[in-house]
Amino acid sequence: MRSLAPLCLLAMGIAHGAGMSIEEGKKLWSLIPPQFSSAQVTIDSLVAAKRAEQNLTPNGEADAASLVRRLYLDLTGLPPDRTDQTDIPALVDQLLASPHFGERWGRHWLDAARYADSNGRDRNIIFYHAWRYRDYVIASFNAGKPYDLFLREQIAGDLMPAKTQAQRDEQLTATAFLALGAKAYEEAKPEIFRMDVIDEQIETISRSVLGLSVACARCHDHKFDPIPTADYYALAGILRSTQPLYGYGPRGIKATAYHHTEWHALGASAESLAPAALDYFRRLDAETLTMHEARSSRYGISKRIPEMKRRLGTLSGAEKDQLAKEIAGMEAKVAEWNVKVTALEKSVEALQDAAPPQPAWTMGARDREKVENCRIHIRGETTNLGPPVPRGFLQVITLKDAAPPAQKQSGRLELAQWLTHRDNPLTARVYVNRVWQKLFGRALVTTVDDFGVNGAKPSHPELLDYLAIRFMDSGWSVKALIKEIVLSKTYRMSSAASSANLASDPDNIYLWRMSPRLVEAEVLRDSILALSGQLDPYPPQKQFLERFHPQKNAELSSFKPFVTPAAMVDTHRSVYLPVVRGSLPETFALFNFAAPERPVAQRDESILPAQSLYLMNNPWVIVQARHAAQRLLTAAKDDRARIVRLYELAFARQPTPAEKQRIQSFVADGKEDTWTTLCQTVMSSAEFRITP
């Protein structure tokens, strides 16, 4: 039936798109499994061969201070805490073993997973339990979890066997990947709501794992890539048979049952505590709805009274007396409703504070009771249905020993196995390309989430395949992949510019130097806190959002902005700040944080006046600069030692004689305010914002 689906579309009057056919698609470079025959090559030899073709002379190795700073920022997102480290292999091992590695590299994945702590859109529900997924991601990178297992857990962790309760909880938490997307709670039609959720899941899975825009085939065959509409609905059937667990949506008149789900209950007490807790949430939902209905009924009467009173002044005689009588009756009704509404409001408020003992909750996914194939939605319309499509995968990636979706399960487990199959041509390629981009600033395939027909061709195809195969051969070890790359001569090169090379290769496509890169928003914020001495390097014992009441502060709105950018003040690492859609911390909003509404493979880079103005004028930056000044004034007894220490903390290097002299003249008055200005100047400098 799968192969006949495009013919079915033609029979219904839907023209087959102009995209590449499946047979043609199998010849596309990215859809041919990676191949590499020689075992004698290295990263450096493959890069050198391409560079030689362009007659480019490579830079030498970066100086020790620059290399140490580069490694710290790339692997942990924090500035060096020591400047005397010369054993680079030992340093790399140390940084890969640091708990800060997972915080740094886990954040890269959270970009791709469109992680957020709220729904966003018109009904911005707070996801109070999303942080467990964030911590799962961080812990997975720190533990060296194989990337293929990491993916399988997120797609189908609830369907995988577990030996312990802890492993079970971890796998359930991983499936929050499928539940974190923004949802249109304002959508009144349940079938549209359901298919929109599925569409968002398909887009996230295909872009983050495969580097393909499969969601483009929702309404028609993909215009460019070899993805017929039938393939979209084959995947949609798997996700249609899956229940995402994101918790309660809006409570009120417009809320409906399909907006609400449960969560996964975790821990040894899950079975004993969850039933009563879920009953409580259902009761709270029902009583809140009753309260809102009462308010609505009262408003239906009270909104008419002002106009009736206005008319009263234009009447006389019996008409006026009659209208006055009606108004009095309506005011009496409103008074009765006031009593009812007040009682209901007090009851709901009391109930909000009367939650029973709760298990640990996590967002996630599980199979629905009914497993079903999805019918093709002609032109994407839920009311114009074509033939059903058996659940399955992309036809252009045919794997001989890949199991089809199970009959009595959703098929997510088989989808996870298909995605991580050794012969899947995209999964390893896409990920090693992203790792390369994070470490060099430019990916081998510059369209990082588009490996399709319109995507860029790889600048170094042999290197891309070499890295993909090495990655899989190492057991899909992210740490082993990163270690091989950062110990290469290619990574360790100086970032110095060469006029001759710049003329022929201004974008450094052929890697004749290490391109300087702007640090991300989190690295900038964390570096400022580290310089000021205020950074708490440990994970928070209490989550930021725990300061709010989960029942009373369930939804963020313009008239009740209880989580504001100004309120997001914390000394823990930036990865632990809440990502509230529509209300990001100011540093995030200004310095190109990944938009949490969609999967992001590569962040934008910009240098804008607003960024400089923030560093010059923001009260938080000034406070941190004063802390840094006080730190320097108490840490050393003379200005020379203070200046040296400032440069070590900020730039991981010694100041030049000219810098020493200039700064000594500037701080000669010895005032704290002067040192504060100096520290703020350093925090605002280009060198502080760049990975060398």
Side-chain angles (χ1 to χ4, degrees):
M1 187 177 290
R2 292 290 306 284
S3 60
L4 294 177
L7 296 177
C8 295
L9 295 178
L10 284 170
M12 293 176 206
I14 303 176
H16 192 283
M20 182 179 284
S21 71
I22 291 171
E23 289 308 312
E24 290 173 325
K26 291 182 177 181
K27 301 173 185 177
L28 185 67
W29 73 267
S30 61
L31 295 172
I32 299 171
Q35 298 175 1
F36 209 85
S37 57
S38 174
Q40 303 302 313
V41 299
T42 63
I43 291 173
D44 292 325
S45 67
L46 291 168
V47 171
K50 280 285 185 181
R51 197 166 48 217
E53 292 175 3
Q54 306 298 318
N55 295 316
L56 295 166
T57 302
N59 282 358
E61 185 167 310
D63 63 85
S66 295
L67 185 55
V68 168
R69 178 170 163 78
R70 182 186 301 167
L71 285 166
Y72 266 87
L73 293 178
D74 279 345
L75 299 191
T76 69
L78 293 172
D81 53 7
R82 292 170 48 198
T83 58
D84 60 344
Q85 294 154 305
T86 57
D87 187 341
I88 296 302
L91 174 61
V92 170
D93 287 338
Q94 171 195 324
L95 297 178
L96 291 173
S98 166
H100 299 312
F101 171 80
E103 294 167 337
R104 173 67 161 148
W105 282 82
R107 182 58 253 184
H108 293 326
W109 177 256
L110 294 174
D111 284 6
R114 64 3 180 163
Y115 173 81
D117 293 278
S118 80
N119 183 69
R121 304 186 67 151
D122 289 350
R123 305 303 298 266
N124 203 355
I125 304 298
I126 300 298
F127 295 157
Y128 277 100
H129 308 296
W131 65 270
R132 294 189 191 278
Y133 173 79
R134 177 203 67 201
D135 284 6
Y136 156 81
V137 170
I138 292 172
S140 294
F141 277 90
N142 276 334
K145 180 174 291 183
Y147 180 68
D148 60 337
L149 175 59
F150 179 63
L151 290 180
R152 287 196 296 273
E153 288 180 342
Q154 292 176 81
I155 303 295
D158 58 308
L159 301 176
M160 296 168 62
K163 295 180 180 179
T164 65
Q165 180 71 50
Q167 184 183 9
R168 184 67 176 160
D169 289 349
E170 185 178 6
Q171 291 171 179
L172 293 178
T173 301
T175 61
F177 174 75
L178 296 173
L180 286 165
K183 295 156 193 72
Y185 287 122
E186 64 277 11
E187 176 54 63
K189 297 180 179 179
E191 191 60 25
I192 294 177
F193 178 85
R194 186 175 180 184
M195 290 307 297
D196 283 350
V197 170
I198 290 169
D199 185 71
E200 195 276 339
Q201 292 170 327
I202 289 175
E203 178 73 349
T204 299
I205 294 169
S206 64
R207 283 200 178 273
S208 63
V209 180
L210 297 174
L212 292 176
S213 55
V214 176
C216 291
R218 181 179 185 178
C219 304
H220 49 71
D221 289 352
H222 200 292
K223 292 295 186 182
F224 308 104
D225 295 336
I227 305 170
T229 304
D231 283 11
Y232 176 93
Y233 288 99
L235 291 170
I238 293 173
L239 295 167
R240 191 175 175 83
S241 303
T242 300
Q243 174 64 65
L245 302 176
Y246 44 81
Y248 273 74
R251 289 188 168 98
I253 292 173
K254 292 186 178 181
T256 53
Y258 63 85
H259 287 148
H260 301 323
T261 74
E262 299 177 359
W263 299 283
H264 279 308
L266 307 178
S269 60
E271 290 187 8
S272 60
L273 295 180
L278 291 172
D279 283 344
Y280 162 78
F281 289 121
R282 286 188 281 269
R283 180 184 167 198
L284 178 61
D285 183 55
E287 293 201 16
T288 303
L289 176 60
T290 300
M291 178 187 70
H292 284 301
E293 287 174 337
R295 286 173 172 174
S296 180
S297 297
R298 178 181 63 180
Y299 179 68
I301 300 171
S302 64
K303 71 178 180 179
R304 297 165 50 203
I305 294 176
E307 175 61 20
M308 294 174 72
K309 286 184 175 180
R310 188 193 66 78
R311 285 181 52 219
L312 192 66
T314 65
L315 302 175
S316 61
E319 285 184 319
K320 185 173 184 177
D321 292 343
Q322 178 61 32
L323 185 58
K325 184 177 180 180
E326 289 180 22
I327 292 173
M330 292 172 68
E331 288 179 332
K333 282 287 186 184
V334 169
E336 291 176 11
W337 276 116
N338 284 340
V339 173
K340 293 179 181 179
V341 168
T342 299
L344 287 168
E345 287 174 341
K346 289 181 178 179
S347 176
V348 168
E349 185 174 3
L351 186 58
Q352 287 173 332
D353 289 324
Q358 304 278 307
W361 298 111
T362 184
M363 301 170 76
R366 68 182 177 212
D367 276 6
R368 292 183 184 268
E369 291 184 8
K370 180 182 178 182
V371 173
E372 60 180 318
N373 296 324
C374 189
R375 296 175 69 180
I376 288 176
H377 290 49
I378 299 171
R379 290 182 291 276
E381 297 289 341
T382 58
T383 56
N384 191 4
L385 301 179
V389 181
R391 289 167 295 126
F393 322 124
L394 301 185
Q395 297 177 69
V396 75
I397 302 176
T398 304
L399 308 176
K400 292 180 180 179
D401 57 345
Q407 290 297 313
K408 296 184 179 180
Q409 289 186 333
S410 62
R412 279 183 294 119
L413 182 60
E414 292 77 20
L415 172 61
Q417 293 165 344
W418 176 83
L419 288 169
T420 57
H421 194 286
R422 170 85 188 201
D423 294 333
N424 189 308
L426 288 171
T427 305
R429 270 200 188 111
V430 167
Y431 190 70
V432 300
N433 186 60
R434 292 186 184 200
V435 170
W436 190 272
Q437 188 275 323
K438 300 303 180 188
L439 294 172
F440 287 90
R442 180 188 176 91
L444 300 173
V445 178
T446 54
T447 51
V448 184
D449 62 353
D450 186 359
F451 274 52
V453 173
N454 284 348
K457 297 286 181 64
S459 58
H460 298 70
E462 297 87 357
L463 176 59
L464 182 65
D465 279 9
Y466 167 83
L467 291 171
I469 290 172
R470 290 278 291 176
F471 182 43
M472 292 186 286
D473 285 347
S474 72
W476 300 76
S477 169
V478 176
K479 289 187 177 184
L481 171 66
I482 292 173
K483 182 175 181 178
E484 181 173 0
I485 293 174
V486 300
L487 289 180
S488 69
K489 291 180 181 179
T490 304
Y491 177 86
R492 293 167 65 168
M493 279 193 295
S494 160
S495 60
S498 158
S499 56
N501 287 349
L502 283 172
S504 59
D505 184 22
D507 294 328
N508 193 30
I509 295 171
Y510 296 103
L511 300 162
W512 53 269
R513 69 163 176 161
M514 170 58 78
S515 297
R517 292 159 284 139
L518 286 172
V519 299
E520 297 98 321
E522 304 95 313
V523 178
L524 176 62
R525 178 184 174 276
D526 292 352
S527 295
I528 290 173
L529 284 170
L531 177 56
S532 71
Q534 300 302 298
L535 179 68
D536 184 341
Y538 301 102
Q541 295 298 308
K542 185 176 182 180
Q543 299 305 313
F544 185 94
L545 290 174
E546 287 185 37
R547 64 190 69 182
F548 303 108
H549 196 298
Q551 277 70 254
K552 294 180 179 178
N553 299 124
E555 181 175 357
L556 187 69
S557 61
S558 58
F559 58 86
K560 191 178 182 183
F562 56 91
V563 187
T564 63
M568 294 182 197
V569 178
D570 195 89
T571 57
H572 289 95
R573 293 203 65 182
S574 300
V575 71
Y576 297 113
L577 285 177
V579 180
V580 178
R581 289 176 172 134
S583 188
L584 293 176
E586 191 173 5
T587 314
F588 288 10
L590 274 175
F591 292 94
N592 302 310
F593 185 76
E597 291 78 18
R598 61 183 184 276
V600 174
Q602 181 175 349
R603 295 189 188 181
D604 295 332
E605 282 193 359
S606 64
I607 300 177
L608 302 172
Q611 297 169 344
S612 297
L613 291 171
Y614 172 84
L615 294 170
M616 291 167 59
N617 301 306
N618 184 269
W620 179 81
V621 176
I622 295 170
V623 168
Q624 300 312 313
R626 185 166 297 280
H627 282 307
Q630 293 167 349
R631 179 184 184 187
L632 294 171
L633 289 169
T634 57
K637 295 181 179 180
D638 62 79
D639 288 349
R640 288 188 177 185
R642 291 166 184 156
I643 294 167
V644 169
R645 186 60 180 148
L646 173 61
Y647 269 67
E648 288 176 343
L649 291 170
F651 307 131
R653 68 173 177 86
Q654 297 291 305
T656 65
E659 288 169 333
K660 282 184 184 178
Q661 184 177 0
R662 190 162 60 247
I663 294 174
Q664 277 187 284
S665 299
F666 180 74
V667 299
D669 63 11
K671 294 181 179 178
E672 183 181 297
D673 285 350
T674 305
W675 279 95
T676 298
T677 301
L678 172 63
C679 291
Q680 188 181 1
T681 302
V682 167
M683 292 173 180
S684 306
S685 67
E687 185 174 357
F688 192 74
R689 289 185 58 192
I690 287 177
T691 302

